[in-house]
Amino acid sequence: MTLDSLHFVFSRIKERLWVKPLVLCVLSIGGTFIARLADDTGLSSVLPRVTLKSVESLLSIMASSMLVIATFAVGSMVAAYTSASTRATPRSIPLVIADDVTQNALSAFIGAFIFSIVSLITIQNHLFDSAGRFAIFALTLLVFAIVIITFVRWVDRIARLGRVVNTIQQVEKAAHGALDRRRHAPTLGALTVSLNQPENKGIPVCASTVGYVQHIDLEKLQTCAKELNCHVKVMALPGTFVTAHRPLLRIEEPTGQWETLIKPEVFSSAFKISSNRSFEDDPRFGLLALSEIADKALSPGINDPGTAINVIGTLVRLFTLWQSPLEQDQMLPITYDRVSVPELTTQDMFDDAFTAIARDGAGIVEVSIRLQKAFFALAETGNQSLVAAAKKHSRMALARSEYAMSLQDDIDAVRKTAEFSATRS
């Protein structure tokens, strides 16, 4: 397994809710038995004496209270996840689950409970002398301090976890990271696919499963291409929905009996395919998730245009980041010279971000006006592709508003904003 694959697997493990609690449980059990080593150090005559009853009472209090707090924490987290799914979008759930403060709090509560139970059993079975009892007492006080600090931080976070504003911020952070990484490496460190190259050139390699591409191990493709003395053209970027008949890549200029040297399955195994998309390597997924949050806010059942306007501002920030120029030394160098990867197109990103908002917010004058102002702001950046996409979507949004609105004053207001934007850009 390559380093790139290990990094991807580690990122997925961090999203699992059980990982940190399991680690803290192991450390808690280990801490109890490490305290046993204090009896072998000869410090019994130096350390203060702690009565067995005081240690038992402290551990009993912790054992009973930590189980209640851990149960309360799980219930609060489930409620936050439900709120994020219903009020925002189900696509944001992995980000809410991966919240570090929440995971650390649950881990601390469960770890403290396990520590207190194991320590209580060992104390009651007289496995410690005076030095060991003092070590357990000190560890218990330390665990209490950690739990109190964690609880205070967690109360502030759980009050905001799952709320729409907080979810928007989490999705924006994930999209910002993905866009920034892709901005520094538009082709992921590979060569750029020539637009004039025929699509049917080369030997296609298709997926064995149906789903979304989450990650591409370019290091593995580079190694396979070197062994085969060929060039690999990637056809499916992360976020692409692939089937058994859609090529993941094409192998160009292979040696004679290439099937006997390296089987196509070795190339296709470089693509991690799942039933869901992920944020890390898929910048368009972050834009789509933000668009879904705004679209749900515009539904008649929720009727919250303010959230849609908030999302529009977020999208403007992300596209402004996307077009920000970089110095040459800030660009990731070409590492994989036997692999070609297509770049993201601004038009596709605009479609993901603004189409649903313009369609379902066409009849709401404040949303339509804010959309036109957003397109104007993006057109002012001067980036050629961004200007073209902004003008196209401005015309489409205006046409939708003229069709959906019934009051002429509203139509005139949106039309005036669009015309002002067109003349200034």
Side-chain angles (χ1 to χ4, degrees):
M1 184 175 288
T2 63
L3 291 176
D4 197 24
S5 297
L6 287 173
H7 179 266
F8 176 76
V9 172
F10 181 72
S11 298
R12 299 286 77 75
I13 290 177
K14 286 175 62 179
E15 295 177 357
R16 303 295 181 181
L17 193 58
W18 54 267
V19 175
K20 286 186 178 179
L22 178 62
V23 173
L24 263 293
C25 288
V26 173
L27 292 177
S28 300
I29 296 173
T32 301
F33 290 98
I34 289 175
R36 175 69 178 80
L37 300 177
D39 290 327
D40 300 328
T41 60
L43 297 175
S44 300
S45 58
V46 180
L47 294 174
R49 289 190 173 274
V50 179
T51 62
L52 182 64
K53 185 176 181 181
S54 63
V55 178
E56 286 183 356
S57 300
L58 197 59
L59 291 172
S60 299
I61 294 172
M62 180 182 290
S64 58
S65 60
M66 285 303 102
L67 182 59
V68 175
I69 295 177
T71 304
F72 169 71
V74 172
S76 301
M77 291 164 63
V78 171
Y81 301 155
T82 304
S83 174
S85 179
T86 55
R87 292 279 298 173
T89 173
R91 259 59 62 188
S92 65
I93 292 299
L95 297 177
V96 180
I97 292 178
D99 181 75
D100 287 337
V101 176
T102 304
Q103 286 194 4
N104 293 340
L106 182 62
S107 304
F109 301 152
I110 296 178
F113 173 71
I114 297 297
F115 169 79
S116 58
I117 291 295
V118 175
S119 298
L120 193 59
I121 293 173
T122 54
I123 284 290
Q124 291 180 343
N125 284 275
H126 306 288
L127 295 182
F128 296 101
D129 291 332
S130 59
R133 284 198 302 270
F134 178 82
I136 286 291
F137 180 75
L139 281 175
T140 304
L141 295 180
L142 177 62
V143 171
F144 257 126
I146 293 174
V147 167
I148 292 172
I149 295 172
T150 303
F151 183 79
V152 171
R153 291 185 61 206
W154 175 72
V155 167
D156 176 69
R157 179 58 64 92
I158 201 64
R160 295 180 282 112
L161 188 67
R163 296 195 175 190
V164 177
V165 174
N166 186 67
T167 304
I168 292 173
Q169 292 174 350
Q170 289 180 301
V171 178
E172 180 184 2
K173 182 180 178 181
H176 183 283
L179 284 169
D180 194 49
R181 286 190 295 272
R182 186 62 63 87
R183 189 168 65 101
H184 286 80
T187 57
L188 306 177
L191 299 174
T192 305
V193 172
S194 175
L195 298 177
N196 298 323
Q197 190 173 0
E199 291 294 328
N200 57 356
K201 184 180 178 181
I203 302 169
V205 176
C206 299
S208 57
T209 58
V210 177
Y212 293 96
V213 177
Q214 285 191 339
H215 176 73
I216 305 175
D217 189 348
L218 293 177
E219 186 177 343
K220 187 172 185 178
L221 291 179
Q222 174 77 3
T223 302
C224 294
K226 278 186 176 180
E227 293 183 19
L228 191 57
N229 191 25
C230 67
H231 189 85
V232 175
K233 178 183 176 183
V234 173
M235 304 294 293
L237 285 172
T240 304
F241 185 77
V242 295
T243 63
H245 302 288
R246 178 166 184 176
L248 295 171
L249 55 90
R250 290 184 180 272
I251 302 175
E252 300 176 352
E253 303 172 358
T255 57
Q257 300 296 324
W258 71 278
E259 294 93 341
T260 60
L261 296 176
I262 298 180
K263 294 183 178 181
E265 292 78 10
V266 178
F267 284 92
S268 62
S269 64
F271 290 75
K272 172 61 178 177
I273 300 175
S274 178
S275 57
N276 300 308
R277 298 171 71 172
S278 61
F279 289 93
E280 187 173 10
D281 294 331
D282 186 4
R284 291 178 59 183
F285 187 47
L287 300 176
L288 183 64
L290 287 168
S291 179
E292 287 184 356
I293 294 173
D295 197 38
K296 180 171 284 190
L298 293 172
S299 63
I302 297 179
N303 190 23
D304 182 17
T307 294
I309 292 173
N310 187 11
V311 169
I312 293 171
T314 300
L315 293 171
V316 172
R317 283 196 297 272
L318 292 175
F319 277 107
T320 302
L321 164 75
W322 175 251
Q323 63 83 41
S324 299
L326 290 171
E327 299 294 336
Q328 191 61 36
D329 58 350
Q330 295 178 307
M331 299 291 291
L332 185 71
I334 301 300
T335 309
Y336 312 108
D337 56 356
R338 289 184 175 271
V339 183
S340 296
V341 176
E343 296 185 20
L344 292 175
T345 63
T346 303
Q347 186 61 57
D348 289 340
M349 296 167 67
F350 260 70
D351 291 341
D352 293 331
F354 295 112
T355 299
I357 302 175
R359 181 194 64 220
D360 295 325
I364 305 175
V365 61
E366 58 267 34
V367 175
S368 299
I369 290 176
R370 183 55 62 93
L371 263 179
Q372 294 296 336
K373 290 181 178 179
F375 295 140
F376 171 57
L378 294 174
E380 275 192 321
T381 59
N383 182 280
Q384 295 278 337
S385 59
L386 213 62
V387 170
K391 287 184 175 181
K392 177 184 176 181
H393 276 263
S394 176
R395 292 192 299 268
M396 293 169 59
L398 177 60
R400 286 190 172 100
S401 297
E402 291 174 340
Y403 179 79
M405 292 180 180
S406 56
L407 185 63
Q408 188 61 41
D409 288 345
D410 290 345
I411 297 175
D412 292 340
V414 178
R415 187 179 295 161
K416 182 178 179 181
T417 306
E419 291 174 353
F420 175 77
S421 302
T423 56
R424 289 291 299 274
S425 58

